[in-house]
Amino acid sequence: MNMRTRSSAIIGTISLVASLALTTASAEDRDARHQVAKVAQAGKTAKIALTKVATARNPTAGTAGPGGTVWIAERAGTVRVLGARGLGEPVLDISAETTTDGERGLLGIAFDNRRAYFYISYTNLEGTSTIDEFAVRNGKLRPETRRTVLTQTQPYANHNGGDIRFGPDGYLYIAFGDGGAGGDPHGNGQKLDTLLGKLLRIDPRGGTPYAIPADNPFVNDPNAKDEIWAYGLRNPWRFSFDARTGDLLIGDVGQNDWEEIDWAPARSRGGENYGWSQMEGTHPFRGGVEPANHVRPIHEYARTGLGCSVTGGFVYRGDAIPALRGQYVFSDYCDGTIRSLTLRNGKVTAVNDLGVQGGEVISFVQGCEGELYVLALGGTITRIDPA
């Protein structure tokens, strides 16, 4: 499958755009070792560069690992560790257990906050979203400890979501899309009796196979799934927590017209309704009525340019680029431009075009020291550096 065309199957994963032209930036441009731009912020100018550090086989996700390492997931089912000489040999290979048709594959990886357990999020051979756990000893996985924590049947091959991350509270958060097809035909985004179209919050070590945190927002609602933390999501393609404040940010892929970024403060008790499929961003979708409890996105952009599928990122908390610190860095799979939002109390005060191209940006990775890496589905892994 040609992974550099917008009509490739992975685009169905994140944008539901069935047939699009090739991206305008050439592979040579995207793979350039250094791409420099000047970013103005509060009177400062930061010089930004993308430095190529490795090449992977269709990387989809990554996470900070033990001993300051960065672990990279490849779509077909392998996990490799990034070192000074690039990526090492796979430390995990489940390629015989997953599929890569449609939106599927190995979609997320995460360590718990103590780096004692490692989690993978993938679709199995039947297309079922699956979260598995491994114990970690001396920085290495213990394959014999593998167990399945949670599964979710997927009605279609797209909108799996699949991102996973531990919050500052030590609980595992799991993002699932609305189940796929187009226009949320089953209304899963607004239904509370399904895990689809939701951000979940569970305690994977608190029970068998997991426990529900007692303060989850719907634990006392007999008509709702206890695992739900937030709902009204279409295809949450990468979410993160601000490493300093604990605030939550979600990039949610739109249907045809609007891409959005959602935000919740660290003090949130959950239960946010981000609107889908009554709303696409701040706009009613196909005659939808805005829910009374709709939490509007802090940022949206129209598909009037090259953008077609938001890729959520991280609030930058590294030391290498002081002028970028505190800004939320994100991109779009089709456009590939690295951008940032200047935030104040959950409000966007500036949208910054960093002027560098990351290729088919499928994900960002935050290293142990807060520096950011950019994953392009075509294979390039770059680090955001000062120029």
Side-chain angles (χ1 to χ4, degrees):
M1 179 168 55
N2 182 357
M3 302 305 292
R4 284 193 177 273
T5 63
R6 291 189 185 178
S7 58
S8 64
I10 190 63
I11 291 295
T13 304
I14 55 176
S15 64
L16 266 184
V17 177
S19 57
L20 293 169
L22 289 168
T23 50
T24 56
S26 68
E28 290 78 15
D29 289 339
R30 292 170 180 172
D31 293 347
R33 186 169 179 82
H34 290 287
Q35 302 176 60
V36 181
K38 293 184 178 180
V39 184
Q41 179 199 14
K44 299 179 181 179
T45 299
K47 296 182 179 180
I48 309 300
L50 292 184
T51 303
K52 184 177 178 181
V53 296
T55 300
R57 303 180 188 95
N58 304 136
T60 51
T63 187
T69 58
V70 172
W71 292 41
I72 301 294
E74 296 172 311
R75 187 186 178 204
T78 48
V79 178
R80 300 200 282 165
V81 180
L82 180 63
R85 296 185 178 181
L87 292 172
E89 292 300 311
V91 296
L92 179 67
D93 187 349
I94 62 162
S95 56
E97 305 174 46
T98 189
T99 58
T100 56
D101 61 307
E103 178 173 323
R104 298 163 174 161
L106 178 56
L107 303 174
I109 57 176
F111 283 94
D112 73 337
N113 293 347
R114 297 185 299 113
R115 309 286 198 272
Y117 294 92
F118 180 69
Y119 297 82
I120 60 175
S121 171
Y122 66 100
T123 51
N124 67 15
L125 295 176
E126 289 73 43
T128 298
S129 291
T130 305
I131 311 297
D132 282 0
E133 173 196 89
F134 297 81
V136 180
R137 178 179 293 173
N138 299 323
K140 296 182 179 180
L141 302 185
R142 296 174 55 195
E144 74 278 6
T145 67
R146 182 179 179 182
R147 72 182 184 95
T148 295
V149 177
L150 181 147
T151 62
Q152 171 60 51
T153 302
Q154 293 285 350
Y156 304 100
N158 60 342
H159 295 192
N160 294 159
D163 201 11
I164 55 174
R165 196 167 308 281
F166 277 83
D169 53 15
Y171 293 129
L172 177 62
Y173 291 73
I174 303 165
F176 284 144
D178 64 10
D184 194 10
H186 303 291
N188 291 326
Q190 291 297 304
K191 289 181 179 178
L192 294 177
D193 61 354
T194 175
L195 302 183
L196 296 173
K198 311 296 188 296
L199 183 66
L200 313 180
R201 179 184 187 239
I202 65 171
D203 180 358
R205 300 296 302 164
T208 303
Y210 59 87
I212 304 293
D215 59 347
N216 269 15
F218 298 106
V219 292
N220 295 318
D221 186 341
N223 299 314
K225 293 287 188 180
D226 294 345
E227 295 90 342
I228 296 172
W229 180 255
Y231 65 108
L233 295 166
R234 181 178 177 272
N235 193 27
W237 196 254
R238 305 315 179 202
F239 70 93
S240 64
F241 295 92
D242 186 330
R244 187 179 70 82
T245 68
D247 296 342
L248 168 69
L249 293 110
I250 307 170
D252 195 20
V253 179
Q255 175 79 28
N256 295 318
D257 299 315
W258 297 94
E259 302 298 308
E260 70 179 82
I261 294 171
D262 300 307
W263 176 89
R267 66 180 181 276
S268 169
R269 296 184 178 182
E272 285 85 1
N273 179 2
Y274 294 113
W276 178 256
S277 57
Q278 292 295 304
M279 304 292 291
E280 184 180 8
T282 62
H283 310 269
F285 178 73
R286 294 181 180 174
V289 177
E290 183 171 18
N293 63 343
H294 180 214
V295 178
R296 291 191 164 201
I298 60 168
H299 179 63
E300 64 178 11
Y301 61 93
R303 290 186 179 180
T304 53
L306 295 176
C308 77
S309 182
V310 66
T311 298
F314 291 85
V315 174
Y316 178 73
R317 294 297 178 187
D319 294 328
I321 313 166
L324 191 61
R325 196 175 297 133
Q327 295 184 35
Y328 176 71
V329 179
F330 70 103
S331 188
D332 184 287
Y333 178 88
C334 297
D335 175 72
T337 300
I338 310 299
R339 294 182 169 85
S340 70
L341 304 178
T342 303
L343 303 173
R344 177 172 294 181
N345 298 323
K347 304 293 184 182
V348 175
T349 61
V351 181
N352 311 299
D353 183 340
L354 303 192
V356 294
Q357 273 281 335
E360 315 97 320
V361 179
I362 197 76
S363 191
F364 290 84
V365 185
Q366 186 178 58
C368 294
E369 301 301 321
E371 302 306 329
L372 299 182
Y373 297 80
V374 182
L375 307 185
L377 188 62
T380 303
I381 301 174
T382 55
R383 185 179 58 238
I384 298 179
D385 285 339

